[in-house]
Amino acid sequence: MTGPLLSVPSTPFPAEGLHRQGSMVWAPLRRWVDVSHKPEEVVRQLWVRRLHLDGGFSLQQMDQERRTHSGRRSPRADIVVWRSEADKQAGREPVLVVETKAGEGVVRPADFWQGESYARSAGARFLVLANASSHIVFELAKGVPGRARQINDWPKAADVGDEKRLEELVNRLEVFDREQFQRVLFECHSLLRDNHAMTPDRAFDTISKVLFLKLHVERSRTHETFTTKYLDEAARFLNSPRLTLHEQMFEQTKEAYSADDLFAKDDRLEISPDTFRDLVGKLERFNLSKTGEDIKGIAFERFLGRTFRGELGQFFTPRPVVEFIVDVLDPKEGEVVCDPAAGSGGFLIRVFDHVRDRIAADIAAERQRLIDTITAEYSDDADDAALDDRDRRIEIAVEELQILNGQVVSGSSVSPV
């Protein structure tokens, strides 16, 4: 499909967007591509553009629709990036795999089975899952079972050759897991107890204010202000020992959440500047906004149970007991669950998790059955055209399965009372 109107552009990408002519889009790694029936190709080329222009990777160290060539189950990745062109030519392990999909909304890892399969089999350290409106990034650990840890940014060309920079990248604003969050909450409580002799209720109130302050900082994209480095530099610039900086930040937080009626007008963050700096030091490397609600809820529940121990009339059923009772009851989709003594909703949350996990497992098993069934129809020595046909059939079958199930993994049809 070449001709006067489809000549090779003088640059891989225009100043903004992609080179387009009618339904054709210029793909520097594959020449012109018709996207009339492949809207996902636009997302893929926008990511090639992003990797090249924003990430600093050369086109020579990238490839698209790359196979591992490891037999008939060989998956294919949308975009593969190596540390260098030499590594690509030598067939060494890539550093980054990007799997793209058309559509918008929340990125769900279960929708990207092919990219994750390729990334693991090829030995890539980083995986980006992206659609037209959002993306998430994982660091993949080798071994069985493979571990995937969500991080907050993808590596640039300047990072991949410097292990120190990569370590800084993966540890920058990492997402809490349950144990981390619970531990940090307890450490913050201990600071307030030791520095200000705070009672448990005052300590809890203060920690909550600091967490809302951090959420405001993250949502306003001013992460650098919630760091010990920033506080120290601000103190030197103001020629004062961080006298009222944290109070000013809390006033900004109160203003940001004014419509939610979370704070009274006279609420204050009554701690010393040095204590605030210590709390920031505990929290600064974590991303609270991207930490799941279930993780935050369970960690708070454990923290409260450990801290108050009934002093304020707050009693929580131990999490292992909750899990055991729900697993014995084995609630199923469509059933009604009643907790007449719901306080923090621990039983109800566990019921939802239980049912959602069962639905997710059923869908995953059915997806794998479809993949195995279609894969078995193709021989080990099938050519690329046959493998492309196989992959298209698998993608269609998986998408139809997800539509049929109504994306129920994101919710559940168990009704709480």
Side-chain angles (χ1 to χ4, degrees), residues 176-246:
F176 279 111
D177 62 29
R178 295 179 185 181
E179 297 305 320
Q180 284 175 322
F181 196 25
Q182 182 187 354
R183 184 181 68 251
V184 169
L185 288 175
F186 184 74
E187 290 173 352
C188 290
H189 168 262
S190 299
L191 270 172
L192 295 172
R193 179 197 61 207
D194 297 342
N195 293 0
H196 296 282
M198 284 191 181
T199 58
D201 57 324
R202 279 194 62 209
F204 174 69
D205 179 70
T206 302
I207 292 171
S208 298
K209 289 174 179 176
V210 173
L211 291 176
F212 273 109
L213 191 157
K214 178 167 172 57
L215 278 172
H216 170 58
V217 165
E218 292 177 359
R219 291 173 180 175
S220 60
R221 298 184 181 278
T222 55
H223 301 282
E224 68 281 356
T225 64
F226 197 89
T227 63
T228 53
K229 179 181 178 181
Y230 173 82
L231 295 176
D232 291 339
E233 290 176 351
R236 286 194 294 271
F237 176 77
L238 296 172
N239 195 29
S240 67
R242 298 177 292 274
L243 184 61
T244 60
L245 183 58
H246 68 285

Side-chain angles (χ1 to χ4, degrees), residues 97 99 109-110 112-121 127 129 140 148:
V97 168
E99 182 72 1
F112 294 78
W113 62 271
Q114 195 164 334
E116 182 177 359
S117 177
Y118 182 98
R120 290 198 179 281
S121 63
L127 170 67
L129 308 180
L140 304 178

Side-chain angles (χ1 to χ4, degrees), residues 24-41:
M24 307 298 288
V25 168
W26 174 249
L29 302 175
R30 287 291 187 275
R31 300 182 67 81
W32 289 99
V33 178
D34 189 342
V35 299
S36 56
H37 300 294
K38 294 181 63 178
E40 66 274 10
E41 186 66 48

